[in-house]
Structure formats: structure tokens, C-alpha cells
Amino acid sequence: MFLAAGAYSKAVIDAVHLDIADLESLGAEARDAAALGFTATACIHPSQVAIVRESYAPTVEQIASARALLAAAESQPGVFSFEGRMVDGPILRHAECVVARAGLREG
């Protein structure tokens, strides 16, 4: 599902969390959904928005890693190795998405 959605530049949105008052569980579910590759989690109440946004925001470490990878890619044609890992187009696109999400967080 995630690969098909990504191939067509479509978002994959996680289902709503029905217990409006239980923001702790919502945060755990949203962090899990983000780790699985969902683009967002739908909210049914304004009180849920902040925790969902925070759950999908990249960490400082993820932002730094993505920026370092993209900087290294500037001097590397095609597939290359970075910090012992293979890097190709999809990995670079993921890093670009992390940096874009960081811009939303920082801006």
C-alpha cells in the first residue's frame, strides 16, 4: 500500500483515534503510524492536532542525518555508500521529505 501510494505521490492517512481525551495513546499510535510510513493521522477534534503534528515531526537527529546525506549526495553520481549504507534514489527522496517536514516544523 505504501509503495503504491508513493509511486503515485498519494498520501496514506492513518485512521482516527476515537478516545478524544486520551492524548497519550493518540501520540503513541501516531508515532507508530509515522514509523510505519503513514503520511498523517486524521484528527476528529482540535485537541488532537498538536500531538499528531509532534508525532510526525522528524527529530533533530533525523534532520541532521538527512541533511548530511543530501550534502554527501551532491558529489556522488548514482548509487553510493554513506556511513556504511547503500544510498539510491528512494533513500534520497526520503531524506528530502525529512528535510521538508523539518522546514514545516522550523518555519
Side-chain angles (χ1 to χ4, degrees), residues 26-42:
L26 169 62
E29 287 181 17
R31 285 187 299 277
D32 186 51
L36 288 171
F38 281 89
T39 309
T41 294

Side-chain angles (χ1 to χ4, degrees), residues 8-93:
Y8 290 95
S9 299
K10 301 296 180 186
V12 181
I13 301 172
D14 190 27
V16 299
H17 182 78
L18 298 176
D19 188 346
I20 295 170
D22 188 359
L23 297 179
E24 185 176 328
S25 292
L26 169 62
E29 287 181 17
R31 285 187 299 277
D32 186 51
L36 288 171
F38 281 89
T39 309
T41 294
C43 297
I44 58 171
H45 191 271
S47 66
Q48 296 177 323
V49 174
I51 191 73
V52 169
R53 283 186 177 163
E54 183 63 30
S55 298
Y56 279 85
T59 65
V60 171
E61 293 81 13
Q62 289 169 326
I63 296 165
S65 178
R67 287 182 172 151
L69 173 63
L70 292 171
E74 291 177 7
S75 63
Q76 300 289 334
V79 177
F80 65 98
S81 177
F82 180 74
E83 296 180 351
R85 296 176 42 210
M86 183 202 79
V87 176
D88 61 359
I91 300 296
L92 292 174
R93 281 194 295 282

